[in-house]
Amino acid sequence: MHRDNEVANAFALRDGSNIAVIGGGPAGSFFSIFALKMARMLDREFNITIFEPKDFTQDGPRGCNRCGGIISELLVQTLAVEGINLPDSVIRKGIHSYKLHTNHGHVYIATPDFERTIATVYRGGGPKGMMKEGKESFDNFLLTQAVKEGAVHESLRIDRIEYKNKRPVLFSRNDEIMEAGLVVGAFGVNSTTAKIFEDLGFGYKEPSTVTAAIVEIHMSKDIVLKYFGNSIHLFLLPDRGIKFAAMIPKGSYVTLCILGQNISAGIVNDFLNKPVVKGVLPKTSSYSIECRCLPKMNIRAPKRPFADRLVMCGDAGSTRLFKDGLGAAYLMGKAAAKTAVFQGVSKEHFQKDYHPVYRSIVIDNYYGKYLYAIIDICRGNSILTKGMLSVVRKEQDIFFDRRKILSSILWDMFTGNERYRNIFPKALDLRTHLSLWKESAKALVKGEI
Amino acid sequence: MKEGELLGRSYSNGEIIFREGEKGEAMYVIQAGKVKITKSTASGDVTIATLESGDIFGEMSLFDRLPRSATATVYGDARILSIDKKKLFASIDKDPTLVFKILETMSKRIRRLNEDFTALKKNRSGILKISFSVEDTCNMILEEARNLIKADNGSVMLLTDDEKSLSIKAAFGTEADSKLKLAVWDGIAGDVIRIGRAELVNNVTMDSRF
Ligand SMILES: Cc1cc2nc3c(=O)[nH]c(=O)nc-3n(C[C@H](O)[C@H](O)[C@H](O)COP(=O)(O)OP(=O)(O)OC[C@H]3O[C@@H](n4cnc5c(N)ncnc54)[C@H](O)[C@@H]3O)c2cc1C
């Protein structure tokens, strides 16, 4: 009872409260944008400070939050409905189709009417020398939106948090920076900041991660257009370590992302030398590799993503497995903002209003794991791969979208258009299995293996 | 960067995105360019709004499930993003606050309509007051009636000073003859003026008085 009263009285954010957001990537900016929009609706005022040492207007590593930079159709549309319209200056390319490459051929899957519903962006200024293209980065756009809503951006790295009078106090280089009514942990998985939160002792543990790879391939705009068009090129190959790889066109660059268990520089080199990959790229003299990195990727969410006056957003908490991490950052940022503004900032408030959204992503990833297991079987077996290609090719001639089941499974899996849970029933559809087995049997009989 | 490489679908000048009366399955967000929203009236199309980059349109049919209330036509070249009804409702089901922005857009439009309506009312009484000519006033009345009812022909008649005949002060259509005078007891109009009550005749050709 005592705690209930305390929660109601002490953990509602008062006007003028300080909110400290650690990390100005998408999760931190989304939290700030929505918290400020919602506060204004209630005639409330909070002081939100976003701590972010990176400068997203800079090219090269100084401004880069290493990522494939695909904004899913669902996120593009949801943001537009929210009134956060991605300006042309942020978009490197509008995407209307995926081209799926295997060792046994390729197949296209496209949006209805070839509407370009997916966007590709750079998270910072892009590879070195890219600034002259006069574009803006996605992270800078969001951070600027947050500042326009009223947030303050401090170019500082927070390196310590202590509790004073039951309130978190933030430090940078031993200077006390501020006492906060709420601290939002939006620091991703690519820094050592998780340790600060682990040390606070409320049970938070850094999310489990795998190492992925990003390679920026430079070529002329015309060559990008000729070889890649408005399509993302996806590779499903029978390699043990690689789940899938994607080549993502962006102006005069193509970003190659390789996702899998633990990708190393050697795996990247092997991948680039595969015949199927060489077949997609133009001749070697037409492109150059500008930079490579091996960022970490969240694959399992921590159990305790909140405490009194503390909440995690984006990759520091839960994210969608192998896709649409930016969409998950939006969902978690907004859920945390709604809870803080409309309810309060105690662990009970977060448990009741924020945790259901967090958990829904965690549960969705279980469905995702199952679906990837099916895809792993298909890509590992040449008969099934051929069967899959054949079914998808046949589906392209069908008029009704409802009957293009395998195409829509693959589309939704890789574009981030659907939650895994919504794809799952399609994967159990008997018709899909029958046509897959039929086409695979044909491939077997033809002896094309 | 070329238009064809950016987000959305490219439309060229005059292309119709949806027509008044059609079923609405999507709403739209303008990425670049302009879209004219027009409503057809008996006297021609009336432009209700010209929308620009960032504006949302086509949301009404999604929520009231009625046919499109107006036609959306591209003005100049434009790029437009469509948002599928089913997906939007699934997202709203998970996060009802998603409608905040749509509500804000709708309230802004209602406010603007209220202002336009008030201005129109004020203007109309002003116009009537300063309109000394009987013909102008009759023409205005006829024009208003025409906006409300789709008709091929129409006229406004006034009783002459000697109260023996009706003279046509404003008219439109193939059978319009503004010089014509009717004896006060002639036809449907004669009946209306004699009895002093309005009459609604759905098909005049079936009426023996026509
Ligand atoms: C190889 C790869 C490809 C990917 N491709 C895609 C894709 O195509 N589409 C997609 O939707 N998602 C993709 N993702 C996932 C996506 O990158 C993440 O989900 C997303 O970046 C999460 O955003 P965030 O704001 O939580 O974290 P981050 O983007 O990592 O941002 C965290 C920010 O916190 C700052 N920070 C850290 N510590 C501190 C501190 N102590 N003080 C102050 N600031 C601090 C950092 O500087 C950083 O800017 C990909 C991920 C990987 C690894």
Side-chain angles (χ1 to χ4, degrees):
Chain A
M1 195 62 211
H2 170 72
R3 171 77 191 169
D4 283 354
N5 287 339
E6 194 193 358
V7 165
N9 295 330
F11 290 100
L13 282 176
R14 309 212 185 288
D15 270 356
S17 293
N18 284 337
I19 300 179
V21 180
I22 303 184
S29 291
F30 279 132
F31 170 88
S32 310
I33 293 169
F34 290 113
L36 288 160
K37 274 187 195 288
M38 288 165 188
R40 216 173 20 253
M41 282 170 68
L42 299 178
D43 285 326
R44 309 284 310 276
E45 252 184 59
F46 305 126
N47 303 320
I48 299 191
T49 309
I50 302 173
F51 295 97
E52 174 56 66
K54 275 187 194 155
D55 179 353
F56 302 125
T57 63
Q58 299 293 317
D59 54 10
R62 283 174 301 173
C64 186
N65 262 338
R66 305 173 294 174
C67 161
I70 304 172
I71 317 277
S72 68
E73 176 179 287
L74 186 65
L75 184 59
V76 166
Q77 297 189 343
T78 309
L79 290 181
V81 173
E82 294 274 19
I84 306 173
N85 226 357
L86 295 179
D88 291 350
S89 56
V90 171
I91 312 295
R92 307 286 167 152
K93 181 101 60 193
I95 298 292
H96 58 42
S97 53
Y98 269 57
K99 191 171 178 183
L100 194 72
H101 298 270
T102 71
N103 279 344
H104 304 281
H106 62 257
V107 71
Y108 263 114
I109 316 172
T111 57
D113 298 327
F114 284 90
E115 180 173 338
R116 297 174 298 276
T117 52
I118 298 166
T120 70
V121 300
Y122 272 119
R123 301 283 308 280
K128 275 219 169 302
M130 187 96 193
M131 294 311 293
K132 54 182 183 293
E133 289 197 4
K135 289 274 185 179
E136 190 188 358
S137 76
F138 180 70
D139 287 21
N140 189 56
F141 164 72
L142 285 182
L143 187 56
T144 309
Q145 294 296 307
V147 170
K148 276 189 193 153
E149 292 290 343
V152 172
H153 169 210
E154 287 282 357
S155 189
L156 282 179
R157 187 179 192 285
I158 298 301
D159 47 31
R160 188 156 54 93
I161 298 175
E162 275 178 15
Y163 271 91
K164 286 188 182 168
N165 307 319
K166 291 192 178 168
R167 283 178 182 252
V169 178
L170 280 69
F171 293 84
S172 181
R173 295 189 173 173
N174 287 330
D175 291 334
E176 183 174 322
I177 305 296
M178 71 156 56
E179 182 189 278
L182 170 68
V183 174
V184 179
F187 45 81
V189 284
N190 280 295
S191 67
T192 51
T193 309
K195 180 88 175 59
I196 302 173
F197 286 80
E198 286 176 354
D199 290 350
L200 288 174
F202 64 91
Y204 175 76
K205 280 238 169 319
E206 183 174 17
S208 312
T209 56
V210 290
T211 305
I214 298 178
V215 181
E216 292 294 350
I217 310 171
H218 182 45
M219 52 192 98
S220 81
K221 268 189 185 172
D222 290 341
I223 291 191
V224 174
L225 201 61
K226 183 173 165 203
Y227 282 79
F228 296 88
N230 292 83
S231 306
I232 287 173
H233 291 246
L234 199 81
F235 296 83
L236 283 182
L237 304 176
D239 289 69
R240 279 192 149 249
I242 301 177
K243 281 252 174 252
F244 64 91
M247 286 189 184
I248 306 151
K250 300 175 183 175
S252 58
Y253 277 85
V254 170
T255 304
L256 164 66
C257 277
I258 307 179
L259 310 186
Q261 264 316 309
N262 276 308
I263 310 294
S264 61
I267 293 181
V268 175
N269 289 338
D270 290 349
F271 179 83
L272 284 166
N273 283 318
K274 284 183 190 296
V276 60
V277 177
K278 283 186 157 174
V280 171
L281 285 166
K283 60 178 189 297
T284 8
S285 57
S286 323
Y287 69 85
S288 57
I289 289 177
E290 292 296 302
C291 60
R292 305 162 175 237
C293 62
L294 298 171
K296 285 199 274 179
M297 189 174 225
N298 172 332
I299 53 153
R300 198 172 309 116
K303 282 222 171 61
R304 291 206 183 270
F306 54 82
D308 287 342
R309 302 189 186 283
L310 287 177
V311 66
M312 304 297 160
C313 287
D315 274 14
S318 68
T319 188
R320 227 175 274 293
L321 186 69
F322 293 133
K323 71 167 181 184
D324 197 26
L326 299 168
Y330 155 81
L331 285 178
M332 296 319 310
K334 190 171 179 189
K338 272 200 287 190
T339 309
V341 175
F342 292 132
Q343 310 299 333
V345 293
S346 70
K347 64 172 186 255
E348 286 83 355
H349 288 125
F350 288 123
Q351 176 70 42
K352 185 165 163 282
D353 289 297
Y354 156 94
H355 197 242
V357 183
Y358 185 91
R359 252 185 77 75
S360 75
I361 294 182
V362 174
I363 291 171
D364 196 52
N365 286 343
Y366 288 122
Y367 289 93
K369 270 186 198 143
Y370 174 82
L371 290 166
Y372 279 113
I374 298 180
I375 288 178
D376 284 350
I377 295 171
C378 283
R379 71 182 170 86
N381 181 305
S382 54
I383 303 170
L384 286 174
T385 306
K386 283 179 193 168
M388 182 179 77
L389 289 176
S390 177
V391 174
V392 174
R393 273 190 206 118
K394 285 195 170 154
E395 283 180 349
Q396 300 312 303
D397 301 330
I398 301 175
F399 183 70
F400 289 110
D401 266 355
R402 237 180 332 117
R403 287 179 47 204
K404 297 181 177 178
I405 303 174
L406 191 56
S407 308
S408 88
I409 292 176
L410 292 170
W411 178 260
D412 292 338
M413 273 302 282
F414 296 108
T415 59
N417 195 27
E418 267 296 359
R419 292 164 178 89
Y420 290 122
R421 186 202 286 246
N422 296 345
I423 307 171
F424 189 73
K426 292 186 203 167
L428 297 180
D429 190 292
L430 194 61
R431 282 168 303 172
T432 322
H433 286 269
L434 285 177
S435 43
L436 186 59
W437 289 115
K438 197 171 114 194
E439 294 304 320
S440 303
K442 276 190 202 167
L444 185 65
V445 171
K446 277 185 198 162
E448 290 169 351
I449 318 144
Chain B
M1 186 182 253
K2 290 186 199 111
E3 275 290 297
E5 299 200 29
L6 293 162
L7 212 49
R9 188 174 150 192
S10 307
Y11 290 82
S12 40
N13 189 23
E15 262 192 84
I16 290 177
I17 299 162
F18 57 73
R19 279 174 213 277
E20 188 174 342
E22 279 177 4
K23 200 168 174 235
E25 292 295 341
M27 70 174 227
Y28 301 85
V29 185
I30 306 176
Q31 299 295 301
K34 286 184 183 166
V35 171
K36 249 186 353 185
I37 308 292
T38 55
K39 200 162 170 55
S40 61
T41 67
S43 55
D45 288 351
V46 176
T47 302
I48 308 171
T50 305
L51 306 175
E52 299 187 353
S53 178
D55 285 338
I56 291 174
F57 65 97
E59 75 291 351
M60 276 165 64
S61 291
L62 303 194
F63 291 98
D64 61 16
R65 295 182 309 282
L66 292 173
R68 297 285 190 199
S69 65
T71 299
T73 315
V74 170
Y75 186 63
D77 289 341
R79 234 175 339 97
I80 290 153
L81 193 70
S82 65
I83 294 169
D84 177 71
K85 175 176 158 173
K86 275 195 208 124
K87 274 189 213 143
L88 176 67
F89 283 178
S91 301
I92 292 174
D93 178 48
K94 289 196 185 72
D95 175 13
T97 65
L98 254 185
V99 293
F100 282 173
K101 179 68 192 172
I102 302 176
L103 283 179
E104 194 185 309
T105 307
M106 283 177 154
S107 348
K108 272 188 191 149
R109 283 188 191 147
I110 293 171
R111 253 175 217 282
R112 213 200 57 218
L113 283 177
N114 284 347
E115 277 161 19
D116 288 355
F117 182 69
T118 318
L120 205 65
K121 269 200 144 177
K122 255 194 220 159
N123 281 350
R124 250 191 218 166
S125 48
I127 291 166
L128 285 174
K129 259 182 235 146
I130 57 157
S131 188
F132 292 114
S133 143
V134 174
E135 276 78 12
D136 282 355
T137 310
C138 290
N139 264 318
M140 221 155 60
I141 292 166
L142 191 62
E143 201 50 41
E144 287 300 318
R146 226 179 143 176
N147 279 338
L148 297 172
I149 306 164
K150 200 169 163 58
D152 300 324
N153 296 286
S155 53
V156 175
M157 297 177 231
L158 290 185
L159 205 56
T160 50
D161 287 344
D162 60 7
E163 298 198 348
K164 285 194 176 144
S165 54
L166 292 169
S167 94
I168 296 178
K169 295 292 174 195
F172 71 88
T174 46
E175 287 166 32
D177 180 358
S178 55
K179 296 208 175 63
L180 198 78
K181 276 195 180 175
L182 295 171
V184 79
W185 53 85
D186 266 4
I188 302 168
D191 259 9
V192 170
I193 201 147
R194 241 181 306 119
I195 300 162
R197 201 184 308 137
E199 213 179 311
L200 180 69
V201 184
N202 282 328
N203 188 351
V204 282
T205 55
M206 304 288 285
D207 195 307
S208 59
R209 297 168 295 176
F210 183 66

